């Protein structure tokens, strides 16, 4: 096992532990927006999509690059906009009370 | 390490920090929106840094840039339109749809790495896992969205021998994954692996009732996070590993919290077959 892989594994494990702790006491009303927010964050696969599309050389590669970039971009943009919309709804009744 | 690469890696680190802090701010209603915006800032930073990396390396052909731009524009417009146009009541299925495309993207990222059986095992193992988890999530999330939208029956869909079919699919997938990890088989093994994972995703979600779907979507969301982390191992990209692991772990905790809030055990939900939704027939 290379030193680099070991370092990446350490990062992976530590990020998992952070993930377990970071949303410890979230109230039930925030469950759905939080799910949507984490959904948008995994849209970071767009970075991977860009890396794949950038090295494309054959027609099949280009097609794959297009689909993967479109999927990932949809995940990122849609995910964040929906989350923001949910949170906007969430706060409106509180403000008017 | 070149200067550009150093800057890009630091930007990835900053982006990962934004994701963690953003999620943390979403713990309370008062700061939730700020948390989401911080997370958006992290995403913009990560994408901008990757653009810098691509421009600096100069490996991308003009056609590659066009494909990249076209994909980004089409996906963004579709996502923006869907997020704006869909009524508030249809939000859960929309989140599930976005989760599906995210999982699909994660699975597709690994495919070029698996097709030529030349890479080291340290790439093939996460690549195979990525395809399995990503494809399963893609199909499962689409079924979950379909159930909520009423395109797929919301009641638990059970048929005789369903468990046997699920088990057989798991075995087929495991064999294909084993062949790929050992370095044999190219495109055919990848196709079998992806097809088995897709079918398994459908088979796992179909028997679950519509009322349990939010919990299932949350679980599939955590799965996509894990798939993205695997894609990070495949492409050797730290921001994918960190963000993916973060979503995987926090998504798993969130799933448990949501199941507890509904007074349902996760095991009972996943076994499926328990009424709710449109009512068992």
């Amino acid at each position: 096992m290379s030193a680099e892989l070991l370092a990446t594994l350490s990062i992976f494990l530590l990020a998992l532990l952070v993930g377990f702790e970071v949303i410890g006491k979230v109230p039930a009303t925030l469950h759905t927006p939080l799910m949507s927010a984490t959904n948008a964050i995994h849209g970071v696969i767009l970075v991977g999509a860009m890396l794949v599309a950038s090295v494309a050389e054959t027609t099949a590669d280009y097609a794959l690059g297009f689909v993967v970039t479109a999927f990932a971009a949809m995940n990122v943009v849609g995910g964040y906009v929906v989350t923001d919309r949910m949170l906007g709804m969430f706060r409106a009744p509180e403000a008017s009370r | 390490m070149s200067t550009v690469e150093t800057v890009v890696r630091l930007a990835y680190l900053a982006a990962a920090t934004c994701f963690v802090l953003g999620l943390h701010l979403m713990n309370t209603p008062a700061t939730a929106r700020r948390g989401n915006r911080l997370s958006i800032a992290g995403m913009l930073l990560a994408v901008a840094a990757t653009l810098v990396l691509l421009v600096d390396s100069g490996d991308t052909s003009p056609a590659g840039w066009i494909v990249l731009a076209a994909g980004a524009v089409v996906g963004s417009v579709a996502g923006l339109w869907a997020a704006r146009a869909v009524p508030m009541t249809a939000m859960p299925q929309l989140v599930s749809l976005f989760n599906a495309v995210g999982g699909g993207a994660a699975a597709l990222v690994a495919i070029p790495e698996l097709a030529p059986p030349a890479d080291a095992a340290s790439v093939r193992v996460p690549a195979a896992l990525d395809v399995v988890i990503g494809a399963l999530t893609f199909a499962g999330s689409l079924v979950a969205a379909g159930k909520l939208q009423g395109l797929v029956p919301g009641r638990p869909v059970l048929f005789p021998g369903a468990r046997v079919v699920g088990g057989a699919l798991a075995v087929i997938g495991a064999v294909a994954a084993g062949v790929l990890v050992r370095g044999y088989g190219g495109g055919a093994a990848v196709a079998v692996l992806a097809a088995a994972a897709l079918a398994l995703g459908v088979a796992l979600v179909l028997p679950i009732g519509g009322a349990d779907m939010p919990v299932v979507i949350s679980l599939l969301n955590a799965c996509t996070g894990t798939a993205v982390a695997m894609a990070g191992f495949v492409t050797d990209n730290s921001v994918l590993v960190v963000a993916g692991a973060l979503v995987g772990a926090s998504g798993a905790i969130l799933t448990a919290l949501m199941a507890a809030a509904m007074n349902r055990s996760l095991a009972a939900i996943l076994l499926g077959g328990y009424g709710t939704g449109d009512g068992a027939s």
Side-chain angles (χ1 to χ4, degrees), chain B residues 81-146:
Chain B
W81 175 81
R84 286 269 175 85
V86 163
M88 233 35 206
T89 48
M91 285 293 159
Q93 49 267 54
L94 189 62
V95 171
S96 190
L97 182 67
F98 291 149
N99 187 41
V101 289
L108 290 174
V109 162
I111 284 183
E113 300 292 336
L114 269 179
D119 282 312
S122 60
V123 171
R124 287 198 302 264
V125 172
L129 283 173
D130 186 3
V131 170
V132 170
I133 305 172
L136 192 149
T137 313
F138 178 72
S141 299
L142 285 183
V143 174

Side-chain angles (χ1 to χ4, degrees), chain A residues 66 69-70, chain B residues 64-76:
Chain A
F66 174 77
T69 317
Chain B
W65 282 113
I66 292 171
V67 166
L68 199 60
V73 168
V74 168
S76 301

